[in-house]
Amino acid sequence: MAPHDLRRPFKRPLISDQERRRQQSLLRQAQNRLDAQHHARFLVSTAFSLSSSQTPEPETEPIHEPESHQNDELDVLEASKLKGAEARKWFAKQLMHPEWMIDIPENLTNDWFVLARPSGKRCFVVSSNGTTISRLRNGSILHRFPSKLPNGARTKDVNSGSSNSYSILDCIFHEQDQTYYVIDMVCWRGYSLYDCTSEFRFFWVNSKLAETGAFDPPSYYHKYSFSLVPVYGCDQSGLCSAYSAPVPYVKDGLLFYNKHAHYQAGITPLALVWKDENCSQYVMDTDSKGQVPNQQQVVLELQEDGKLTTCDDPPVVFGCLDGSFIQQSDLHSGYLLRFAIGEEGLVLVGGKLEKADLQYLGKANRARASADSFSKVMFQYSVRHSPLKLDDLLGSVSSPVDQESKACDIEMDG
Amino acid sequence: MAMEVTQILLNAQAVDGAVRKQAEDNLKQFQEQNLPSFLFSLAGELANDEKPPESRRLAGLILKNALDSKEQHKKIEFVQRWLAMDQAYKAQIKALLLRTLSSPSPDARSTASQVVAKVAGIELPHKQWPELIGSLLSTVHQLPAPTRQATLETLGYICEEVSPDVVEQDHVNKILTAVVQGMNSSEENNDVRLAAIQALYNALGFAQANFSNDMERDYIMRIVCEATLSPELKIRRAAFECLVAISSTYYEKLAQYMQDIFTITAKAVREDEEPVALQAIEFWSSICDEEIDIIEEYGGEFSGDSDVPCFYFIKQALPFLVPMLLETLLKQEEDQDQDEGAWNIAMAGGTCLGLVARTVGDDIVPLVMPFIEENITKQDWRHREAATYAFGSILEGPSPEKLVPLVNMALSFMLNALTKDPNNHVKDTTAWTLGRMFEFLHGSTLDNPIINQGNCQQIITVLLQSMKDVPNVAEKACGALYFLAQGYEDAGSGSSPLTPFFQEIVQSLLTVTHREDTGESRLRTAAYEALNEVVRCSNDDTAPMVAQLVTVIMMELHQTLENQKVSSDDRQNELQGLLCGCLQVIIQKLGASEPTKHHLMQYADQIMGLFLRVFASRSATAHEEAMLAIGALAYATGTEFVKYMQEFYRYMEMGLQNFEDYQVCAITVGVVGDVCRALEEKVLPYCDGIMTQLLKDLSSNQLHRSVKPPIFSCFGDIALAIGENFEKYLLYAMPMLQSAAELSAHTNGADDDMIEYTNTLRNGILEAYSGIFQGFKGSPKTQLLMAYAPHVLQFLDSLYNEKDMDDVVTKTAIGVLGDLADTLGSAAGPLIQQSISSKDFLKECLSSDDPLIKESAEWAKLTLSRVL
């Protein structure tokens, strides 16, 4: 017969400190293993997706310092640790920029989302290590602040997960109500969303952001409020809503996103921007005094061989400066130069630019990070000559009756 | 031949070493040459009443040891060996054994009954020897008393040996009938009656059906209760032991007997001899255990479908139970606090009172307070001690709202008693009670702190003073300080109230560790435990002082290592263990943040040097502590740890080979993980050796099974660290993982322990897969893993179908699905699409309430969306 176990007198400690040390080591190891796993899961994939979607830099770029090439290989976590100029350079290349809509994509109804773009400063908002930083499109810091985004403030909240984890949102900061309007999500709690379709990313933005309290009004640990932008399917009613439904912010045109497109750094034809006078104060570019100049102005980049190009990949050549003019005006390759488009305008043959009447105005504003894109120049040109109207857009989407059965399967009204 | 065996067996017990050695060799030779005939000879020896008792006893022992072993792998081997033996031999051996049950020699009968049970333990689960139970029982009534006793003992041993499902209900009924008849007061032979009660104790697990039958249950309970009144002490004690076992096995069937049981236990506690009284108290402790479990499990909410309802027996018995227990507190033994193994009625009563407090909460307080008030100031130390013990016992269970006002009143009295009471026993219990106050009623979660600026200094002064008292009081004072420090663990980054006293506390504790009179007591250990807790719960303010402590502890460790050169004893090894433990805590504390880590790193080389020297000692505990501390150091040091690897590797390998002290092996496996994460790809040169050792460990059937799951996880750590370089191990590691996965896929019929183990194993396997897939990500060699993908997915599917994963496994499993998709990309798309895991399993996880499962699932969904 087995002897009955004696009860332990409870005046003696139940668990030895040694056992506790052992348990704590096991816990620490398990946590470290989780962190390592977590790190491996998202970071490496981010690094890969980033380097593959990276716009290759021209071989020699006098403006860039030598280490800039290395930065292309950084993953987002490493990048999130970068400081100063390094960080500026890295973030300047990460935003996805829409092309301007110069013609209407096929299948707008089925394959695209539309949203009313808030007017304001486009930026990345990065939350990690207990702080939140917003960076403008040139990479410089707009705000550094505490927020309720994951790891966005130094609070004792243990739910924000691994301290390594960080989130990156694509936002527009709207001055009037001091709110960050979230238009896209790039990383969430360390998971990269670069390789996900916009359909998925919008779904994610909607479901995740609400969990954090980011929409709460500003408070000590949450200096700025965040808000979602309503996203519609691109049928007639969606287009109308985006165009005219009231929103708490000042609109600056409509943004179109292809549902199947991944987040891609740089300019992409799979996101498009369109404006008219009704939905934007800034249809036509203004000069530094805020006036619309008589002639359309463009900013182009001077190449080694004197060619003047857009910022597209591959670049579109608008013209060429001769060597003596370059020397006279003390210009160097890589400079951004401002031109006016003259009387003769732009000559297009089969959608390709054949000839441009350029008049040199001078060097572009120093704050400019890059030349204009081809689509921007073309959109501005068409606004002045034969603008693409809302009716054109509405005409291209099928009537809502046809679409009933294919109604947008995710409702993006936050 | 038979003659020869007798002589050899006698020689094997000879005083002369040479003779003994010769005989042992002979036995071994005989066993190896012809096992069946060897065992047959032994059984013959045991059965033969003409042989000397000494040779018979040894024959029985060897026989028993040839059928069973404490070591799992040997046990399995012995079972196979017996099953494979020739039937004719086995039949003769079994017949001899059964015949021995009727031997006139009590020794031979007793040995035979144990051996019969061992054979039954092997054969019954294989549906062999079906006639055993029947033949044991057929004649039990007509047999002479000694044989009846042996038969009942045999039945008891059999029940202990085999699991209930291999004995048919018909046999169970017969066993219980025979046993209960043997227990009946009409049985005149006390030995038979005792054997019957002990058999019932072992057979209780078989009696589910009988306990569900009112009439049979009533009968069994009546017989057990009657036996508690037997004039024979052993019978009374065994009967109460049965009641204790019944209370935990058949709690839900006890309601109608509780009144009677209370009466007989109360009488036993008050009047019976101590061995019986202890079991009577144990009955109530056991009921408390049951009710605490039930209340914890259902959170106090009982619906009709709760498995086991709570009958609140303790609550109902409270007005009678508490006074009974309080009386026992006055029956202390002198010097019980100096004796580690002491267990008496006062201690049992106090322990039970503590359990009652946890069971009923607030209700106990008004029943105990008058006793405390009446006795706490009495002249006789027994009253003061009992009152203090009662107070300490009820501090866990009742709500803080109820207790805090009482503690506020009592605190200064207790502090005073700790310094002034003339009796050591009272001081011991007072210090313990203070510790309980701090453990349960002090900490950041409580609204009304019992410790404030006003009394903090006094508390510390008194505790530090008490540390100079006799060892047992000083030990409890260290314990109280431990909980005092723990309560400030979450004090936040602001200044801790202990900060002003930090230096003084540390100094006092170090002084205690140097006391010459600690002797065999736990005092030195308690002082280091308190020191560790003070360090763990310290904040940034005191980091420089913790850093100073590094050099102090290093010096102490250095000193013991020097002393060891002269002489080595257990106390010194124990001290090395304690010092390594203390350094481990300091390393973790200082390593946790960048500014403090700097303080630590300047000593890293020296610390590591000392740890390596500890491995020269032969104490497993010291090794274990040094290993744990090195793991913490590796984590704090990061890549630079590589400089120690050349020297450390040897000990790491030794640790991985330490099958005997499997804790050392397990800890070393964990440290391999730490080192992998610290060194990353720099660990590569050591991986051949490490992997070889780990694979050997896995194939060994000597190594304790609990080490195997962490070894699998460690594969993942290695793969994650060295990436595609893991390629060369795939050929060995993958088949191991695969077969372990197949084994662990199903748990059918396993008990809770086995299911828990299986889940740990599954988690280890999955962590290995996860690390391997992630390690290869982005490598051109990922296609090497494609061949294993179908099996991994199949494993995930079978886990899902099995429906018995715990949450940890679920989380890891769904993560592996993501890892597989992430690394193999769209090439694995069609495979993934075929798996249930990518559909139903993923869907379930996505809607899980567990945030960790959900997080993993969302990640898996993300990677799947890229490849499908």
Side-chain angles (χ1 to χ4, degrees):
Chain A
M1 170 155 161
H4 193 74
D5 286 339
L6 270 188
R7 212 162 262 287
R8 197 181 169 83
F10 73 158
K11 272 182 84 171
R12 312 231 164 82
L14 268 175
I15 280 195
S16 73
D17 197 65
Q18 187 195 12
E19 184 57 29
R20 203 164 152 219
R21 283 196 293 281
R22 200 182 284 147
Q23 294 303 332
Q24 290 196 333
S25 288
L26 288 176
L27 279 177
R28 177 183 57 73
Q29 285 164 347
Q31 185 55 48
N32 293 349
R33 177 176 293 130
L34 269 181
D35 284 352
Q37 197 182 50
H38 206 241
H39 189 262
R41 279 190 180 157
F42 57 80
L43 283 181
V44 184
S45 72
T46 311
F48 273 86
S49 67
L50 282 185
S51 53
S52 63
S53 65
Q54 211 62 211
T55 319
E57 293 290 323
E59 284 303 306
T60 48
E61 264 280 19
I63 304 173
H64 294 286
E65 284 141 38
E67 71 269 17
S68 70
H69 198 71
Q70 276 182 311
N71 292 353
D72 292 354
E73 310 298 327
L74 290 181
D75 61 45
V76 180
L77 178 62
E78 289 167 57
S80 71
K81 287 179 180 158
L82 291 177
K83 302 255 153 59
E86 299 267 285
R88 272 204 302 285
K89 250 175 257 162
W90 194 86
F91 277 99
K93 286 181 286 181
Q94 301 308 319
L95 277 172
M96 175 164 85
H97 295 293
E99 283 194 2
W100 291 66
M101 190 187 282
I102 42 185
D103 48 32
I104 298 168
E106 282 175 33
N107 233 341
L108 196 58
T109 320
N110 291 330
D111 290 347
W112 294 74
F113 291 124
V114 62
L115 55 97
R117 181 165 82 165
S119 137
K121 291 173 177 148
R122 174 83 185 284
C123 52
F124 262 146
V125 176
V126 182
S127 69
S128 73
N129 274 321
T131 179
T132 308
I133 296 176
S134 53
R135 287 179 180 277
L136 298 172
R137 52 195 299 170
N138 64 6
S140 65
I141 293 179
L142 173 63
H143 297 131
R144 186 190 293 271
F145 60 104
S147 78
K148 288 191 179 173
L149 295 178
N151 269 319
R154 267 180 228 284
T155 57
K156 287 203 90 180
D157 182 15
V158 285
N159 296 326
S160 42
S162 156
S163 60
N164 283 343
S165 113
Y166 58 89
S167 304
I168 302 177
L169 302 176
D170 186 343
C171 297
I172 292 172
F173 182 69
H174 187 251
E175 290 282 351
Q176 290 86 334
D177 61 358
Q178 294 284 300
T179 297
Y180 281 94
Y181 285 91
V182 183
I183 58 170
D184 209 332
M185 183 181 266
V186 180
C187 286
W188 186 249
R189 289 190 195 275
Y191 292 141
S192 164
L193 292 151
Y194 276 88
D195 280 355
C196 301
T197 63
S198 60
E199 188 165 12
F200 189 88
R201 296 198 310 274
F202 288 156
F203 163 71
W204 212 254
V205 172
N206 254 319
S207 55
K208 294 288 132 188
L209 218 49
E211 292 171 6
T212 61
F215 302 146
D216 295 353
S219 61
Y220 183 74
Y221 282 117
H222 187 58
K223 199 169 167 198
Y224 296 99
S225 186
F226 286 77
S227 194
L228 287 179
V229 174
V231 178
Y232 305 94
C234 223
D235 53 23
Q236 289 215 332
S237 78
L239 257 177
C240 291
S241 303
Y243 186 75
S244 52
V247 282
Y249 50 83
V250 178
K251 282 185 209 170
D252 181 20
L254 300 182
L255 273 176
F256 295 81
Y257 278 90
N258 185 294
K259 287 182 185 174
H260 313 296
H262 294 180
Y263 195 98
Q264 188 185 336
I267 299 172
T268 171
L270 295 174
L272 298 168
V273 58
W274 171 90
K275 334 172 149 175
D276 69 6
E277 313 291 344
N278 280 327
C279 69
S280 173
Q281 299 173 307
Y282 317 101
V283 179
M284 267 195 265
D285 280 355
T286 53
D287 61 18
S288 52
K289 293 177 198 103
Q291 302 294 315
V292 176
N294 290 335
Q295 288 180 306
Q296 182 185 352
Q297 297 187 355
V298 297
V299 173
L300 297 168
E301 184 176 336
L302 178 63
Q303 300 296 331
E304 192 89 68
D305 53 7
K307 282 188 176 133
L308 297 165
T309 62
T310 62
C311 66
D312 302 276
D313 178 30
V316 178
V317 180
F318 265 66
C320 194
L321 290 182
D322 67 45
S324 58
F325 180 79
I326 292 172
Q327 253 182 346
Q328 250 174 42
S329 321
D330 194 22
L331 302 178
H332 297 283
S333 68
Y335 273 28
L336 299 177
L337 307 175
R338 184 172 292 276
F339 297 87
I341 295 179
E343 295 287 301
E344 291 170 47
L346 304 174
V347 181
L348 287 142
V349 176
K352 284 194 78 176
L353 184 72
E354 185 92 344
K355 186 169 167 263
D357 177 11
L358 296 178
Q359 299 167 359
Y360 179 66
L361 296 175
K363 287 175 207 164
N365 188 319
R366 290 178 63 111
R368 282 296 292 255
S370 62
D372 286 339
S373 66
F374 177 73
S375 67
K376 178 182 177 185
V377 177
M378 294 313 293
F379 186 86
Q380 289 291 327
Y381 189 75
S382 68
V383 166
R384 287 169 183 262
H385 299 89
S386 57
L388 191 62
K389 297 203 181 72
L390 179 69
D391 287 345
D392 301 329
L393 289 170
L394 286 173
S396 79
V397 303
S398 358
S399 69
V401 185
D402 301 350
Q403 293 304 314
E404 204 77 17
S405 58
K406 304 198 99 189
C408 184
D409 54 355
I410 41 170
E411 194 53 50
M412 298 287 167
D413 50 13
Chain B
M1 179 84 147
M3 199 48 226
E4 207 181 313
V5 168
T6 308
Q7 196 52 52
I8 296 171
L9 287 168
L10 291 174
N11 286 351
Q13 301 167 75
V15 185
D16 183 337
V19 175
R20 209 165 59 231
K21 173 89 176 43
Q22 171 74 37
E24 281 165 0
D25 289 348
N26 286 340
L27 286 171
K28 207 168 151 210
Q29 206 180 352
F30 189 4
Q31 170 161 13
E32 278 163 12
Q33 276 170 358
N34 192 341
L35 181 78
S37 122
F38 177 65
L39 297 181
F40 175 67
S41 311
L42 294 174
E45 187 78 11
L46 179 63
N48 191 335
D49 290 324
E50 271 144 41
K51 297 290 180 183
E54 293 80 13
S55 68
R56 296 177 76 181
R57 189 182 306 132
L58 186 60
L61 190 67
I62 298 175
L63 203 49
K64 199 173 97 184
N65 289 344
L67 296 167
D68 196 6
S69 167
K70 286 208 170 68
E71 291 167 70
Q72 194 59 26
H73 67 282
K74 280 198 185 155
K75 183 177 174 139
I76 293 167
E77 184 195 322
F78 292 169
V79 167
Q80 293 312 322
R81 192 173 70 180
W82 176 265
L83 288 172
M85 247 171 65
D86 181 39
Q87 285 300 341
Y89 269 108
K90 287 194 283 191
Q92 294 186 62
I93 292 171
K94 290 189 282 190
L96 285 167
L97 289 171
L98 289 177
R99 209 178 76 198
T100 315
L101 294 178
S102 314
S103 162
S105 152
D107 244 15
R109 291 197 305 269
S110 168
T111 310
S113 63
Q114 292 174 51
V115 181
V116 169
K118 292 291 172 200
V119 176
I122 296 175
E123 295 203 344
L124 294 188
H126 291 88
K127 306 249 177 283
Q128 297 174 12
W129 213 0
E131 70 283 9
L132 169 65
I133 307 277
S135 66
L136 279 173
L137 290 172
S138 61
T139 53
V140 73
H141 316 294
Q142 304 129 39
L143 295 170
T147 312
R148 277 213 313 281
Q149 180 200 355
T151 306
L152 288 166
E153 271 175 14
T154 309
L155 289 170
Y157 289 134
I158 292 172
C159 292
E160 197 181 351
E161 203 67 41
V162 304
S163 82
D165 55 340
V166 305
V167 182
E168 1 171 329
Q169 186 59 40
D170 178 41
H171 281 157
V172 172
N173 294 342
K174 285 187 178 142
I175 292 172
L176 283 170
T177 308
V179 165
V180 176
Q181 265 168 11
M183 281 173 70
N184 203 316
S185 48
S186 64
E187 171 64 57
E188 284 161 15
N189 185 305
N190 278 341
D191 291 336
V192 175
R193 218 175 153 198
L194 185 61
I197 296 180
Q198 290 171 338
L200 177 67
Y201 180 93
N202 285 323
L204 281 172
F206 292 65
Q208 291 291 350
N210 313 82
F211 263 81
S212 299
N213 177 315
D214 290 350
M215 229 168 60
E216 295 184 24
R217 185 182 62 241
D218 283 349
Y219 184 60
I220 295 172
M221 290 302 290
R222 185 167 65 78
I223 298 289
V224 174
C225 289
E226 273 175 21
T228 67
L229 306 172
S230 158
E232 177 67 34
L233 181 140
K234 280 185 182 170
I235 292 178
R236 293 201 303 279
R237 185 180 60 185
F240 273 113
E241 281 170 342
C242 269
L243 275 183
V244 171
I246 291 170
S247 73
S248 60
T249 315
Y250 299 108
Y251 168 84
E252 72 278 12
K253 304 218 154 66
L254 284 181
Q256 63 192 104
Y257 312 110
M258 285 309 277
Q259 190 65 49
D260 292 339
I261 296 177
F262 182 81
T263 312
I264 51 181
T265 50
K267 188 170 154 56
V269 170
R270 291 198 166 105
E271 296 165 18
D272 211 329
E273 291 174 69
E274 189 163 65
V276 183
L278 286 175
Q279 286 306 320
I281 294 176
E282 181 59 27
F283 173 82
W284 291 100
S285 292
S286 167
I287 294 284
C288 288
D289 285 344
E290 291 304 313
E291 297 197 341
I292 289 170
D293 281 355
I294 296 169
I295 293 166
E296 254 176 29
E297 192 164 338
Y298 301 116
E301 300 285 321
F302 296 100
S303 58
D305 51 304
S306 296
D307 282 347
V308 181
C310 187
F311 288 97
Y312 300 104
F313 293 140
I314 298 295
K315 205 178 157 93
Q316 292 169 45
L318 210 55
F320 313 102
L321 189 58
V322 171
M324 174 186 99
L325 294 172
L326 290 173
E327 273 173 47
T328 65
L329 300 186
L330 291 159
K331 299 183 182 169
Q332 307 96 326
E333 287 176 303
E334 301 272 355
D335 299 334
Q336 69 181 25
D337 287 314
Q338 265 100 56
D339 177 6
E340 273 288 301
W343 182 246
N344 56 43
I345 190 158
M347 296 167 97
T351 304
C352 187
L353 190 65
L355 289 167
V356 171
R358 287 176 54 202
T359 314
V360 302
D362 287 358
D363 291 352
I364 199 170
V365 177
L367 293 170
V368 173
M369 286 318 289
F371 177 82
I372 298 173
E373 284 156 12
E374 189 191 325
N375 290 289
I376 194 92
T377 52
K378 278 206 175 149
Q379 194 62 34
D380 182 354
W381 70 267
R382 285 175 190 281
H383 288 89
R384 296 198 307 279
E385 199 278 337
T388 315
Y389 195 18
F391 193 47
S393 298
I394 60 164
L395 289 173
E396 185 188 9
S399 62
E401 292 73 35
K402 195 89 180 172
L403 291 175
V404 166
L406 298 173
V407 168
N408 282 334
M409 278 196 300
L411 192 54
S412 62
F413 181 92
M414 294 280 168
L415 291 171
N416 194 45
L418 186 51
T419 35
K420 305 233 171 71
D421 199 288
N423 182 277
N424 279 338
H425 201 121
V426 176
K427 285 198 277 188
D428 182 293
T429 304
T430 305
W432 170 78
T433 300
L434 284 167
R436 301 257 301 172
M437 289 177 181
F438 303 153
E439 183 176 3
F440 299 110
L441 297 164
H442 155 60
S444 59
T445 53
L446 291 152
D447 297 332
N448 297 311
I450 56 167
I451 303 172
N452 49 46
Q453 284 211 301
N455 60 14
C456 186
Q457 168 140 30
Q458 192 204 355
I459 291 170
I460 291 168
T461 309
V462 169
L463 290 181
L464 298 190
Q465 178 67 34
S466 273
M467 285 179 199
K468 298 177 189 144
D469 212 318
V470 292
N472 62 302
V473 176
E475 180 203 319
K476 302 294 191 303
C478 290
L481 189 66
Y482 181 100
F483 290 113
L484 181 71
Q486 194 169 73
Y488 292 118
E489 191 171 15
D490 305 315
S493 48
S495 184
S496 159
L498 290 190
T499 300
F501 310 104
F502 190 85
Q503 194 85 40
E504 200 187 343
I505 292 171
V506 168
Q507 200 47 57
S508 302
L509 287 169
L510 287 173
T511 309
V512 174
T513 65
H514 292 136
R515 277 176 63 156
E516 297 284 340
D517 60 348
T518 57
E520 296 301 303
S521 76
R522 274 189 80 256
L523 178 55
R524 190 172 63 180
T525 306
Y528 275 111
E529 288 178 352
L531 183 59
N532 291 346
E533 196 62 13
V534 167
V535 169
R536 271 190 207 113
C537 304
S538 64
N539 57 10
D540 293 351
D541 295 2
T542 41
M545 287 182 260
V546 175
Q548 280 173 20
L549 195 54
V550 177
T551 51
V552 176
I553 303 293
M554 267 168 44
M555 223 128 78
E556 302 253 338
L557 184 53
H558 175 79
Q559 196 56 51
T560 67
L561 289 164
E562 289 300 308
N563 293 346
Q564 197 168 40
K565 286 183 186 162
V566 188
S567 75
S568 167
D569 63 28
D570 287 352
R571 288 280 287 170
Q572 210 150 75
N573 287 333
E574 184 200 83
L575 181 58
Q576 286 171 6
L578 291 170
L579 290 165
C580 289
C582 186
L583 281 171
Q584 186 207 338
V585 171
I586 297 174
I587 290 167
Q588 265 183 292
K589 185 74 198 176
L590 293 178
S593 81
E594 284 301 323
T596 55
K597 198 198 276 191
H598 162 77
H599 291 303
L600 175 66
M601 282 305 137
Q602 54 184 327
Y603 303 115
D605 290 359
Q606 285 167 278
I607 297 175
M608 192 63 193
L610 289 168
F611 288 157
L612 293 175
R613 284 178 65 191
V614 173
F615 289 118
S617 85
R618 264 189 249 148
S619 152
T621 315
H623 282 199
E624 198 183 315
E625 293 283 3
M627 203 43 102
L628 280 172
I630 287 174
L633 189 66
Y635 172 62
T637 317
T639 330
E640 280 184 46
F641 190 82
V642 74
K643 64 179 166 182
Y644 308 124
M645 278 305 283
Q646 190 100 39
E647 255 187 291
F648 173 53
Y649 176 73
R650 192 153 68 94
Y651 299 109
M652 196 150 118
E653 196 168 59
M654 262 167 51
L656 294 177
Q657 286 164 346
N658 197 341
F659 291 171
E660 258 168 65
D661 307 306
Y662 70 90
Q663 292 274 25
V664 176
C665 187
I667 280 165
T668 312
V669 170
V671 171
V672 171
D674 281 329
V675 167
C676 286
R677 285 182 290 272
L679 301 190
E680 295 184 334
E681 67 277 14
K682 287 188 183 147
V683 77
L684 188 58
Y686 303 98
C687 284
D688 280 356
I690 294 171
M691 279 302 290
T692 308
Q693 204 46 58
L694 291 179
L695 289 165
K696 268 192 205 161
D697 286 353
L698 282 177
S699 338
S700 158
N701 50 15
Q702 283 172 57
L703 184 62
H704 195 273
R705 68 176 192 181
S706 68
V707 190
K708 298 192 175 177
I711 291 180
F712 285 126
S713 307
C714 191
F715 282 177
D717 298 337
I718 294 171
L720 208 50
I722 64 173
E724 61 174 19
N725 291 306
F726 196 80
E727 177 189 357
K728 57 177 164 175
Y729 309 127
L730 282 179
L731 211 55
Y732 308 98
M734 283 311 215
M736 288 256 188
L737 283 164
Q738 203 155 323
S739 61
E742 274 158 24
L743 277 176
S744 80
H746 309 288
T747 55
N748 42 336
D751 57 21
D752 289 353
D753 277 353
M754 192 60 198
I755 292 176
E756 195 184 328
Y757 173 74
T758 306
N759 274 321
T760 326
L761 188 63
R762 290 166 172 175
N763 195 56
I765 296 164
L766 292 165
E767 285 185 333
Y769 283 140
S770 181
I772 292 169
F773 278 119
Q774 285 301 336
F776 274 78
K777 180 156 70 172
S779 149
K781 292 177 179 164
T782 47
Q783 77 276 9
L784 290 172
L785 297 181
M786 193 56 93
Y788 304 107
H791 182 267
V792 174
L793 289 167
Q794 216 180 317
F795 180 45
L796 297 180
D797 285 357
S798 68
L799 288 180
Y800 175 69
N801 288 330
E802 222 33 43
K803 303 275 181 231
D804 56 2
M805 278 183 278
D806 60 22
D807 284 353
V808 178
V809 176
T810 309
K811 188 210 75 157
T812 319
I814 204 66
V816 166
L817 178 68
D819 293 326
L820 188 149
D822 197 20
T823 293
L824 297 181
S826 43
L831 268 177
I832 293 171
Q833 219 140 20
Q834 285 166 24
S835 71
I836 321 167
S837 301
S838 67
K839 301 185 189 77
D840 302 2
F841 186 21
L842 181 58
K843 211 169 125 195
E844 268 179 37
C845 292
L846 283 169
S847 54
S848 167
D849 294 331
D850 183 322
L852 291 173
I853 293 178
K854 208 172 160 194
E855 196 186 30
S856 280
E858 281 171 348
W859 184 76
K861 182 177 170 185
L862 211 77
T863 58
L864 291 192
S865 74
R866 290 182 199 149
V867 304
L868 295 181

